Amino acid sequence: SAVISQKPSRDICQRGTSLTIQCQVDSQVTMMFWYRQQPGQSLTLIATANQGSEATYESGFVIDKFPISRPNLTFSTLTVSNMSPEDSSIYLCSVRQGGTYNEQFFGPGTRLTVL
Amino acid sequence: SQQGEEDPQALSIQEGENATMNCSYKTSINNLQWYRQNSGRGLVHLILIRSNEREKHSGRLRVTLDTSKKSSSLLITASRAADTASYFCATASVGSGNTPLVFGKGTRLSVIA
């Protein structure tokens, strides 16, 4: 299984600022995903970030608010822009190697609180 | 949007008892995966079951899949206090090889020592 790390593990931010979350994987992976988990809720997919192509965003999420970079096969960043208290959530990076029949693994998450 | 629905939403049992959680989904799937999450931390992958499989085991875990009913169950035998966590099912729908997982709402399991 892939070992995934995220930075920061948690942060408290002021309204109107931006935070960039980093995701590092210990092996090359083709598929990376970013999820959001609001307090007490399940996971919602923000976007799929495959290397060499633009991120694909799910309904309700836009690039201006959640810009994503995927410069290589082991690293990605998610920025939460112009934050509001509604953005307070856990943000999780996830990876999958190969096709749909493979396991999908998750990083430890970044707990974001916006004041 | 959520694909699956777990039930029960919350389950409380005594240590040593078995815990069964169910997951229903709506569309045809390639596979279904179960995860554990402790106290808002990252998700731990428990088991993957493919659409052409009916049952899988891993240690104290047993997962079944009934594609005709679009449902799956996770059984934890001889539960321990350390099993206290939220459990999620997630499905990969039939389609291209890049379909991401879609998560159910989860079951909160409490195992009382």
Side-chain angles (χ1 to χ4, degrees), chain A residues 96 99-101, chain B residues 3 25-32 50-52 65 67 70 90-102:
Chain A
R96 186 163 80 222
T100 307
Y101 281 111
Chain B
Q3 154 82 301
Y25 56 90
K26 299 174 183 175
T27 64
S28 297
I29 61 170
N30 274 322
N31 70 73
L32 184 146
R50 299 184 178 190
S51 58
N52 61 353
L65 179 65
T67 53
K70 291 186 169 60
T91 53
S93 297
V94 170
S96 73
N98 294 333
T99 52
L101 292 182
V102 178

Side-chain angles (χ1 to χ4, degrees), chain A residues 27-114:
Chain A
S27 59
Q28 294 184 340
V29 293
T30 52
M31 303 172 67
M32 295 183 81
F33 309 94
W34 286 97
Y35 287 81
R36 180 178 74 182
Q37 186 178 29
Q38 294 176 303
Q41 302 297 314
S42 185
L43 281 75
T44 300
L45 180 67
I46 298 172
T48 299
N50 293 332
Q51 197 265 340
S53 62
E54 295 289 323
T56 303
Y57 290 82
E58 296 298 301
S59 176
F61 298 96
V62 295
I63 187 171
D64 290 346
K65 175 67 175 178
F66 297 101
I68 289 171
S69 76
R70 180 81 199 273
N72 56 52
L73 292 174
T74 64
F75 187 79
S76 178
T77 66
L78 169 75
T79 299
V80 186
S81 302
N82 188 24
M83 289 184 285
S84 66
E86 292 71 34
D87 294 319
S88 297
S89 297
I90 298 173
Y91 292 85
L92 297 119
C93 171
S94 181
V95 304
R96 186 163 80 222
Q97 185 66 283
T100 307
Y101 281 111
N102 292 346
E103 291 90 347
Q104 188 165 323
F105 299 102
F106 283 79
T110 295
R111 184 182 292 272
L112 171 62
T113 302
V114 183

Side-chain angles (χ1 to χ4, degrees), chain B residues 11-72:
Chain B
L11 178 62
S12 183
I13 60 174
Q14 296 290 324
E15 204 167 32
E17 294 181 339
N18 295 341
T20 299
M21 289 160 272
N22 302 298
C23 169
S24 60
Y25 56 90
K26 299 174 183 175
T27 64
S28 297
I29 61 170
N30 274 322
N31 70 73
L32 184 146
Q33 304 185 39
W34 283 93
Y35 293 84
R36 183 184 74 231
Q37 184 180 40
N38 293 84
S39 301
R41 298 179 184 174
L43 274 70
V44 174
H45 188 274
L46 296 177
I47 201 163
L48 178 153
I49 187 165
R50 299 184 178 190
S51 58
N52 61 353
E53 297 175 315
R54 293 296 168 257
E55 186 171 314
K56 286 191 80 170
H57 298 256
S58 177
R60 293 185 295 115
L61 306 180
R62 172 177 171 257
V63 168
T64 62
L65 179 65
D66 187 335
T67 53
S68 67
K69 296 181 179 178
K70 291 186 169 60
S71 67
S72 174

